């Protein structure tokens, strides 16, 4: 293989590891969950299939675990196996996920997303009026919130924190009205879908994606955001149960240890989790089956990866990622760049490239404060969240957001410190 061919191979693998959601019929998609004992997607599909009039489900997992890709598989299953009308809503386009959230702006964002999806799919809105047009009239004519411009409300909710804050203050005494309007609009959507599809029993499903990314910036902001997320899902059960809709909310992973039985509080089904891939067992042993799954993810994207890495090297990167797919792909891509810039023509790449990549990634996570280190040691030893007080929630959420702590499942949910930090916290 010539130098140019080697470089093109590296570029091919680099670009094929781009972090984007995949449809289940994409050639890169690897259906590893279908053969597992615990497939949360199949379980969610069955819950909706069994439910008649409406249902609420919770789905969680850390960023980069593949939720958006698996939501696309769920959409396909619900359409093909149960004849549902499914709307996949990416809330990153409608919410500011780094500021606190309240039930009023949360429902406004969801209904705005649903309204646009319905109009795009059926080329019409219920009673010929989109949700944003309706809610703008309510805000200006009926509730009469002063000091804010409701024009361009979608962009303002997403990109203007001051607008969102003013809206929350203005709606503080009108939550019941906003909830009523949101539920009413959702029912009209179901009626429209059933009329357009000529199916009076058609199930309408909302997959509310990306809400798990709620996180603050800075200590004070983080505390506000995390507490608002807890209040949203644990304090507004009836508002989140939308008549005639089957709805799945993604939730931040830090809510699972914080609010045990959250699904029970919401009056919904048990929550489903998409954990990291098991590259290790709970007793800290290497899981060979998990490593094989990680290698197959790469093999689907570039069958010639062995011309670049040895199997041991790819295993080392998989173990270092902790089974987090996004981090795994990132480590590989960084290794490819380092190999091309410093060791062009040496393949499989020298082990020093892998070592440099891991050191680089480790440095990004350091330093660790002494208090954090003590807590991380406890998590590593017990495999539990070790949340001693609600006041510690922002720190636990930060551990999940920055992936200092990873979520696994072997029967039960358990946690461990990121592999690249275990030597550091043991010092």
């Amino acid at each position: 293989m010539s130098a140019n061919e080697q470089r093109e191979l590296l570029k091919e693998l680099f670009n094929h590891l781009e972090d984007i959601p995949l449809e289940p019929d994409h050639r890169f998609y690897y259906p590893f969950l279908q053969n597992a004992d615990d497939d949360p997607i199949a379980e969610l599909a069955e819950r909706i299939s069994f439910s008649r009039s409406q249902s609420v489900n919770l789905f969680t997992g850390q960023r980069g675990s593949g939720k958006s890709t698996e939501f696309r598989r769920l959409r396909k299953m619900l359409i093909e196996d149960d004849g549902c009308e499914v709307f996949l809503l990416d809330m990153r386009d409608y919410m500011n996920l780094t500021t606190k959230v309240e039930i009023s702006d949360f429902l406004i964002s969801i209904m705005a997303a649903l309204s646009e999806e319905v109009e795009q799919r059926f080329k019409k809105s219920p009673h010929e009026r989109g949700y944003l047009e309706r809610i703008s009239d309510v805000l200006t004519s009926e509730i009469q919130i002063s000091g804010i411009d409701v024009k361009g409300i979608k962009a303002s909710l997403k990109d203007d924190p001051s607008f969102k804050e003013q809206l929350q203050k203005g709606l503080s005494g009108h939550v019941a009205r906003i909830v009523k309007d949101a539920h009413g609009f959702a029912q009209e959507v179901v009626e429209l879908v059933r009329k357009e599809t000529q199916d009076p029993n058609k199930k309408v499903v909302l997959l509310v994606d990306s809400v798990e990314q709620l996180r603050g910036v800075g200590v004070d902001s983080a505390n506000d955001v995390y507490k608002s997320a807890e209040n949203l899902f644990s304090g507004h059960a009836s508002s989140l149960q939308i008549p005639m809709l089957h709805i799945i909310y993604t939730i931040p992973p830090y809510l699972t240890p914080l609010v045990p039985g959250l699904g029970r509080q919401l009056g919904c089904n048990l929550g489903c989790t998409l954990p990291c891939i098991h590259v290790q067992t709970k007793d800290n042993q290497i899981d060979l089956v998990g490593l094989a799954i990680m290698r197959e993810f790469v093999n689907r994207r570039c069958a010639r990866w062995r011309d670049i890495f040895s199997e041991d090297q790819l295993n080392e990167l998989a173990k270092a990622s902790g089974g987090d797919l996004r981090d795994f792909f990132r480590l590989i891509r960084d290794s490819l760049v380092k190999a091309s810039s410093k060791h062009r023509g040496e393949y499989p790449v020298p082990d020093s490239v892998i070592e440099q990549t891991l050191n680089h990634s480790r440095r990004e996570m350091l330093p660790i404060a002494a208090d954090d280190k003590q807590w991380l040691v406890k998590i590593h030893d017990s495999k539990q969240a070790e949340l001693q007080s609600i006041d510690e929630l922002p720190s636990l959420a930060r551990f999940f957001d920055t992936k200092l702590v990873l979520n696994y499942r072997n029967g039960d949910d358990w946690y461990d410190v990121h592999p690249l930090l275990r030597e550091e916290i043991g010092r």
Side-chain angles (χ1 to χ4, degrees), residues 110-127:
I110 290 175
M111 291 304 125
L114 175 60
S115 181
E116 290 196 352
E117 287 293 315
V118 169
E119 187 168 349
Q120 181 177 358
R121 188 169 304 178
F122 295 102
K123 309 305 179 187
K124 62 175 62 178
S125 298
H127 303 300

Side-chain angles (χ1 to χ4, degrees), residues 115-165:
S115 181
E116 290 196 352
E117 287 293 315
V118 169
E119 187 168 349
Q120 181 177 358
R121 188 169 304 178
F122 295 102
K123 309 305 179 187
K124 62 175 62 178
S125 298
H127 303 300
E128 307 305 325
R129 295 188 76 209
Y131 178 75
L132 287 178
E133 182 183 356
R134 298 185 191 194
I135 199 63
S136 294
D137 288 347
V138 171
L139 295 177
T140 54
S141 302
E142 299 182 36
I143 298 178
Q144 296 182 338
I145 299 178
S146 60
I148 67 170
D149 181 6
V150 297
K151 295 180 181 178
I153 187 173
K154 172 187 171 182
S156 297
L157 276 171
K158 179 178 180 291
D159 300 322
D160 187 350
S162 63
F163 174 89
K164 183 177 177 180
E165 183 178 2

Side-chain angles (χ1 to χ4, degrees), residues 1 19 31 62 78 99 104 107-108 126 146 149 156 288 306 353 390 400:
M1 182 166 53
D19 182 24
Q62 290 176 279
L78 291 170
T99 56
S104 53
L107 286 177
I108 287 174
S146 60
D149 181 6
S156 297
L288 296 179
R306 287 179 177 81
V353 169
I390 188 65
F400 283 119

Side-chain angles (χ1 to χ4, degrees), residues 366-404:
L366 299 175
I368 300 176
D371 289 347
D372 285 351
K373 184 179 291 189
Q374 292 177 8
W375 191 352
L376 292 172
V377 168
K378 292 180 182 178
I379 292 174
H380 178 58
D381 291 341
S382 70
K383 302 300 187 285
Q384 301 299 316
E386 296 292 340
L387 184 67
Q388 303 299 316
S389 166
I390 188 65
D391 294 332
E392 296 178 337
L393 172 61
S395 294
L396 179 63
R398 174 168 49 82
F399 289 167
F400 283 119
D401 284 341
T402 58
K403 299 184 181 178
L404 298 183

